[in-house]
């Protein structure tokens, strides 16, 4: 009976058992924090890249060309560095008071899921556009950047982070700064699209 009481009161080895139970949870928490931080960082960079390039386009005084789109693609890849093939679209939208309607002047894009010409113009949600006066134009710059987490922090009981594959999509609306309207030049001798 005395040996049984001694065994019951013996606390040696409890620290190693507690450590064995808590280390997997601490490891999971640390890796999860790192992964979620990386996801928020990627989202932040994709949003800032979108806004920076939209501002760059709004300051452009020359017509937008296919070469300009290639340059925008390079800048977008450089600013985000999270997606090897980001998608973007530049759309010029104008308002006419006579029709009381917004109309797409031209729209071009680049990327795997983007139709690069005016054949498949995007559907514009006019509720997201600012109130424009007659003949005024705005630039819509839309990006879609894919993100996948570098490592999966889930294991066993702690699986399922909800970060499998994310697409950061953003549209920024800006007004042209120094000119009335940003035009499209195909660089093939055809007239400008304005």
């Amino acid at each position: 009976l005395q040996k049984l009481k001694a065994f019951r009161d013996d606390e040696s080895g409890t620290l190693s058992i507690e450590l064995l139970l808590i280390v997997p949870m601490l490891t999971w928490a640390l890796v999860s924090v790192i992964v979620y931080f990386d996801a928020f960082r990627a989202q932040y960079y994709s949003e800032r890249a979108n806004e920076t390039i939209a501002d760059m386009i709004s300051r452009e005084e020359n017509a937008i060309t296919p070469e300009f789109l290639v340059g925008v693609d390079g800048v977008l890849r450089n600013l985000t560095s999270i997606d090897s093939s980001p998608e973007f679209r530049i759309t010029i939208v104008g308002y006419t008071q006579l029709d009381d309607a917004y109309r797409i002047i031209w729209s071009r894009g680049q990327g795997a899921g983007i139709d690069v010409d005016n054949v498949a113009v995007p559907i514009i949600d006019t509720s997201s556009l600012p109130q424009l006066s007659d003949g005024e134009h705005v630039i819509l710059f839309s990006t879609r950047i894919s993100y996948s987490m570098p490592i999966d922090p889930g294991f066993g009981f702690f699986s399922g982070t909800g970060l499998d594959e994310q697409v950061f999509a953003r549209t920024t609306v800006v007004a042209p700064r120094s000119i009335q309207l940003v035009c499209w030049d195909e660089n093939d001798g055809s007239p400008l699209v304005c």
Side-chain angles (χ1 to χ4, degrees):
L1 192 60
Q2 198 129 34
K3 285 186 179 186
L4 209 51
K5 285 182 183 178
F7 178 72
R8 183 190 69 191
D9 295 335
D10 185 17
E11 293 184 9
S12 62
T14 57
L15 184 61
S16 57
I17 297 295
E18 289 171 358
L19 186 67
L20 185 65
L21 292 174
I22 201 74
V23 163
M25 288 189 283
L26 287 176
T27 303
W28 172 80
L30 178 65
V31 171
S32 294
V33 165
I34 291 169
V35 167
Y36 277 97
F37 176 81
D38 185 61
F40 284 120
R41 179 194 59 82
Q43 182 180 19
Y44 173 80
Y45 283 151
S46 70
E47 290 175 358
R48 296 296 82 79
N50 178 288
E51 293 168 1
T52 301
I53 295 172
D55 186 58
M56 179 182 81
I57 295 167
S58 74
R59 296 172 190 271
E60 188 63 33
E61 294 181 0
N62 300 320
I64 305 295
T65 64
E67 292 78 18
F68 184 86
L69 293 183
V70 171
V72 167
D73 185 54
V75 170
L76 186 60
R77 288 173 195 256
N78 207 8
L79 289 176
T80 58
S81 70
I82 57 171
D83 184 5
S84 61
S85 57
E87 303 168 6
F88 68 89
R89 176 175 284 284
I90 302 169
T91 305
I92 307 300
V93 177
Y95 177 77
T96 54
Q97 191 172 16
L98 181 64
D99 302 333
D100 190 28
Y102 293 93
R103 64 184 180 91
I104 296 174
I105 309 300
W106 63 266
S107 182
R108 298 290 190 278
Q110 194 158 320
I114 301 283
D115 190 353
V116 295
D117 57 15
N118 265 339
V119 174
V121 291
I123 304 296
I124 302 296
D125 177 19
T126 56
S127 66
S128 65
L129 294 177
Q131 192 71 29
L132 300 177
S133 59
D134 189 36
E136 193 175 4
H137 299 86
V138 290
I139 303 164
L140 275 68
F141 183 68
S142 303
T143 54
R144 289 177 43 88
I145 299 171
S146 298
Y147 170 79
S148 56
M149 58 186 165
I151 56 173
D152 185 5
F155 61 91
F157 176 72
F158 302 107
S159 62
T161 58
L163 274 180
D164 300 330
E165 176 77 22
Q166 300 289 320
V167 175
F168 301 129
R170 183 169 179 93
T171 299
T172 301
V173 180
V174 293
R177 303 275 177 134
S178 58
I179 56 175
Q180 179 73 16
L181 177 62
V182 177
C183 296
W184 171 257
D185 184 1
E186 198 67 55
N187 269 353
D188 64 355
S190 58
L192 295 178
V193 178
C194 294

